[in-house]
Amino acid sequence: MQGRRVLVVGGAGYIGSHCALLLQEAGAEITVYDDLSTGYAEAVTGRLVRGDVRDRARLETVLQEGRFDAVMHFAARLLVGESVAHPLAYFDTNVAGTCALLSAMAAADVRTLVFSSSCAIYGEPRTLPLDEAHPFAPVSPYGLTKLMVEQVLDACREREGFRIASLRYFNAAGAHPGGRLGEAHDPETHLVPLALEAAAGWRRIRLFGRDYPTPDGTCIRDYVHVWDLAEAHRLALEALWAGQAGRAWNVGTGTGSSVLEVIAAVERVTGRSVQRDDAPRRPGDPPALYAKADAIRQDLGWIPRHPDLEVTVEHAWRWLQAPRYGRYPRRP
Ligand code: UFG
């Protein structure tokens, strides 16, 4: 990785910023391309170029001038509920934006890409754990945009000479183990930060559904540490540079935790109670989602270093106690 130039599109956001830092620590030279619509300048590693992912001409200039060895693409809208209400904005940013990026990459002859995909492309699981061969039936426009992009990427891999890895994330959580970066969405919708904010006394949390067909009645998800996700990107990039054409890989721990288990972990880590209220099910939430991630282990040697939910929560709590950016009322 030493001296390799990587353009991290969407590198000011939660997952992109962690990946950029990990790649820099591995020796890469990082440029972040981000419009800062949801990301933070303070989260950026390396040089920041401000721009929109749909701005093909600007991307082409940046790519041509930077002589990059690869692109990592994180720039996307990610709120499932919002995608149901405003699907067009999601097709525009997530699908048209990726097409603009791919065209700019082809024009600049940079044909190595790691793409942020999602387990949302599978929809309601028919079998668990979910492996990569599970049928695709996204239930939200958000999931559909990720599936559409994967199909575009397949064509680019087959016909346009691209090498591409798509990483299908399960639930990213946690923060940089040293506290340099963390999760700071605005609005925050994710369970781990919301439960921690409730432990800090800033809010109450709603439990979206207590009547699911799971052992404790709450939804089960696979919470993967964001630093482990970042490591998956590094390994994927190395494989592409070694000559592999790439493919789609699930990135999850393989273990599911229920909403109540997450809250219990938050209470143990913080030593505080999480004030909660029962609430109706959130539309489109399947009862359980967890990964079969054998392929990425076998193909890339990826092993989650932080598989323990409590460690993930601990790192997120450390961040919340001393955040370097984001909008928070005060320290817990
Ligand atoms: N939940 C609550 N209360 C909250 C927030 C979440 O009970 O206030 C529950 C949800 O119902 C769900 C679990 O906690 O069962 C996790 O919810 P998140 O919103 O943290 O994460 P999701 O599983 O909905 O979303 C994640 C990614 C999305 C991706 C989706 C695919 O963040 O980008 O997985 O299913 F689309």
Side-chain angles (χ1 to χ4, degrees):
M1 182 106 4
Q2 204 61 42
R4 298 275 204 161
R5 292 162 182 246
V6 182
L7 183 67
V8 184
V9 179
Y14 172 45
I15 301 173
S17 63
H18 284 80
C19 289
L21 179 59
L22 188 139
L23 290 186
Q24 190 194 54
E25 288 179 359
E29 214 177 285
I30 304 295
T31 300
V32 165
Y33 183 92
D34 200 298
D35 65 358
L36 299 184
S37 59
T38 55
Y40 298 90
E42 298 92 323
V44 168
T45 290
R47 192 167 71 98
L48 171 64
V49 177
R50 283 187 75 159
D52 191 305
V53 68
R54 293 162 299 181
D55 189 343
R56 179 189 156 170
R58 181 151 173 69
L59 279 165
E60 200 174 312
T61 306
V62 171
L63 280 158
Q64 246 143 12
E65 286 175 0
R67 294 181 289 113
F68 292 99
D69 298 297
V71 174
M72 298 242 174
H73 176 30
F74 301 92
R77 294 176 182 263
L78 54 80
L79 299 173
V80 173
E82 186 185 64
S83 80
V84 176
H86 303 291
L88 196 51
Y90 277 69
F91 293 116
D92 191 28
T93 301
N94 296 9
V95 183
T98 304
C99 291
L101 173 60
L102 289 164
S103 301
M105 287 176 68
D109 201 24
V110 180
R111 292 175 198 265
T112 304
L113 175 70
V114 182
F115 171 67
S116 303
S117 189
S118 169
C119 64
I121 67 172
Y122 299 120
E124 288 270 345
R126 293 189 199 169
T127 52
L128 282 167
L130 283 155
D131 66 20
E132 288 87 351
H134 187 283
F136 304 131
V139 291
S140 67
Y142 165 78
L144 179 58
T145 64
K146 293 290 176 180
L147 178 58
M148 290 167 78
V149 169
E150 279 209 20
Q151 289 168 343
V152 171
L153 297 181
D154 287 343
C156 287
R157 203 187 280 114
E158 280 161 30
R159 301 267 172 242
E160 301 279 356
F162 277 74
R163 293 175 186 176
I164 304 173
S166 289
L167 300 181
R168 296 177 183 158
Y169 312 152
F170 282 66
N171 287 54
H176 178 255
R180 278 179 64 177
L181 301 168
E183 185 168 11
H185 294 115
D186 186 21
E188 189 53 79
T189 61
H190 296 104
L191 179 63
V192 171
L194 287 176
L196 286 167
E197 290 181 18
W202 297 345
R203 61 162 85 233
R204 298 174 67 85
I205 189 161
R206 284 175 295 164
L207 301 182
F208 294 141
R210 298 289 304 265
D211 56 350
Y212 282 99
T214 58
D216 67 18
T218 63
C219 286
I220 292 172
R221 295 287 180 273
D222 184 337
Y223 296 90
V224 54
H225 196 296
V226 68
W227 201 244
D228 288 335
L229 265 187
E231 176 65 4
H233 288 74
R234 185 187 72 78
L235 292 168
L237 205 45
E238 296 279 14
L240 299 178
W241 280 334
Q244 285 189 33
R247 54 165 281 181
W249 283 286
N250 283 344
V251 196
T253 65
T255 304
S257 305
S258 73
V259 173
L260 287 176
E261 284 169 344
V262 171
I263 289 176
V266 164
E267 291 185 326
R268 280 196 303 276
V269 166
T270 61
R272 304 175 186 207
S273 63
V274 171
Q275 300 299 310
R276 67 199 77 168
D277 300 300
D278 290 349
R281 291 183 179 195
R282 205 170 53 174
D285 262 347
L289 289 173
Y290 48 93
K292 187 165 162 66
D294 296 8
I296 192 167
R297 283 173 200 251
Q298 278 158 18
D299 296 349
L300 303 183
W302 180 75
I303 297 165
R305 304 273 167 214
H306 309 96
D308 183 353
L309 177 63
E310 235 169 82
V311 173
T312 302
V313 167
E314 209 175 288
H315 291 163
W317 179 234
R318 194 179 299 162
W319 164 258
L320 203 67
Q321 289 172 297
R324 299 189 181 197
Y325 46 86
R327 277 178 278 283
Y328 299 101
R330 60 182 187 283
R331 279 187 183 204

